[in-house]
């Protein structure tokens, strides 16, 4: 994996360049919104990638609770952190898109509010992991992650079951999308998913290194006490 | 013209967020590598 990482990173960079070109140049201009609709190609793939990472976090948390696997705990932490980054992109690009289209930056609509709540849940997960020193922290965090993951389907299906300001789903749920736009959307999702995978791999290595350093430091401290 | 400004703002914000995060991972990684070397001496 160590050897494959630089190749994977370069391939991801190339794919991101290609997907950006597709989003900004190749994708057809939407009739009513114009060019600002191209924000869609960052906004939606970022949301899907964040959801995917929160699902990975849920699975890893369940594995940690059942098997006490340290690796699963590290995967849970890494996926939550990278998921929060993608969710931040969603929460920033959404209002930038809403301002010219709706005339407002934000509204307390169900989809938007639930997405903000989702972000806050995972930020509190990261705060818990960062500032609590207790040996029970991974277990508490895993339980919080399970409750947090309950918000993912609520966010996703909120526009299916409730009348909201947010547009209807582009895939399924009666929504329709130009096939050329769908193609560009899927390329962008693939590119963002590859980016998430590469960043997660790197962050996972960082987490293992962090745990190794902590172990070495506690051994060093123990040696200092016994001498 | 105004719409283009919003499009670029979203584009810049997206890559700024990812860039800042990747930068923070890189910084933490090099700091920990340095610390590991010190501890192994």
């Amino acid at each position: 994996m160590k050897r494959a990482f630089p190749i994977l990173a370069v391939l991801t960079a190339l794919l991101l360049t290609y997907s950006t070109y597709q989003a900004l140049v190749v994708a057809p201009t939407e009739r009513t919104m114009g060019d600002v609709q191209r924000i869609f190609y960052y906004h939606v793939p970022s949301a899907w990638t964040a959801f995917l990472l929160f699902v990975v976090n849920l699975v890893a948390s369940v594995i940690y609770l059942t098997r006490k696997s340290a690796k699963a705990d590290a995967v849970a932490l890494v996926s939550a952190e990278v998921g929060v980054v993608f969710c931040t992109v969603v929460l920033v690009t959404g209002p930038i898109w809403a301002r010219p289209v709706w005339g407002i930056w934000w509204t307390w609509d169900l989809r938007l509010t639930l997405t903000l709540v989702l972000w806050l849940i995972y930020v509190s997960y990261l705060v818990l992991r960062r500032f609590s020193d207790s040996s029970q922290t991974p277990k508490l965090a895993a339980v919080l992650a399970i409750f947090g993951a309950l918000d993912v389907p609520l966010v996703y299906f909120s526009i299916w079951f409730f009348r909201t300001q947010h547009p209807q789903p582009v895939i399924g749920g009666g929504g329709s999308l130009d096939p050329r736009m769908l193609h560009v959307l899927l390329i962008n999702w693939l590119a963002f998913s590859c980016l998430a995978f590469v960043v997660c791999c790197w962050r996972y290595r960082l987490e293992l290194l962090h745990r190794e350093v902590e172990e070495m430091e506690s051994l060093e401290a123990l040696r200092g006490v016994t001498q | 013209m105004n719409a283009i400004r919003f499009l670029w703002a979203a584009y810049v914000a997206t890559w700024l967020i990812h860039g800042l995060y990747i930068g923070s991972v890189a910084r933490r990684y090099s700091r920990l590598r340095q610390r590991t070397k010190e501890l192994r001496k």
Side-chain angles (χ1 to χ4, degrees), chain A:
Chain A
M1 189 64 205
K2 243 182 181 176
R3 274 188 203 162
F5 185 76
I7 300 165
L8 201 64
V10 170
L11 287 176
T12 303
L14 289 174
L15 186 60
L16 281 165
T17 310
Y18 176 69
S19 65
T20 303
Y21 170 74
Q22 288 281 321
L24 297 179
V25 181
V26 177
T29 307
E30 209 266 345
R31 217 178 298 153
T32 50
M33 285 185 267
D35 279 324
V36 78
Q37 182 270 345
R38 293 175 196 274
I39 293 175
F40 168 77
Y41 302 110
Y42 314 132
H43 182 74
V44 177
S46 297
W48 288 354
T49 310
F51 292 160
L52 191 69
L53 288 164
F54 293 146
V55 170
V56 171
N57 171 266
L58 168 71
V59 173
S61 299
V62 171
I63 292 173
Y64 175 75
L65 285 176
T66 51
R67 295 187 196 165
K68 293 280 171 282
S69 156
K71 280 185 180 173
D73 180 50
V75 169
L77 172 61
V78 166
S79 53
E81 195 175 290
V82 181
V84 164
V85 173
F86 277 90
C87 200
T88 307
V89 170
V90 176
L91 286 170
V92 170
T93 54
I96 296 173
W97 188 8
R99 183 68 184 90
V101 176
W102 296 345
I104 44 168
W105 293 101
W106 182 267
T107 176
W108 294 103
D109 159 278
L110 193 63
R111 178 39 105 64
L112 276 67
T113 309
L114 285 173
T115 309
L116 181 63
V117 168
L118 183 72
W119 184 81
L120 287 170
I121 290 170
Y122 283 95
V123 167
S124 33
Y125 173 92
L126 295 177
V127 169
L128 173 70
R129 306 251 5 186
R130 174 74 181 80
F131 294 106
S132 172
D133 286 332
S134 161
S135 59
Q136 296 290 309
T137 304
K139 196 190 278 182
L140 288 171
V143 174
L144 177 62
I146 291 168
F147 282 105
L150 291 175
D151 196 28
V152 174
L154 287 179
V155 173
Y156 189 78
F157 291 109
S158 58
I159 50 171
W160 289 49
F161 301 122
F162 299 95
R163 190 185 291 264
T164 71
Q165 178 92 10
H166 195 278
Q168 287 302 297
V170 287
I171 295 174
S176 66
L177 188 68
D178 183 306
R180 290 169 300 167
M181 287 181 172
L182 181 64
H183 175 74
V184 176
L185 175 70
L186 293 177
I187 288 172
N188 273 273
W189 187 35
L190 177 69
F192 276 99
S193 301
C194 288
L195 174 67
F197 181 72
V198 168
V199 174
C200 280
C201 287
W202 195 16
R203 180 63 185 83
Y204 181 73
R205 273 164 61 182
L206 171 69
E207 187 55 29
L208 295 186
L209 194 63
H210 175 71
R211 289 174 187 208
E212 193 187 318
V213 166
E214 269 188 346
E215 212 169 290
M216 284 163 84
E217 278 177 341
S218 52
L219 276 173
E220 188 93 343
L222 207 64
R223 240 181 262 151
V225 169
T226 51
Q227 275 170 6

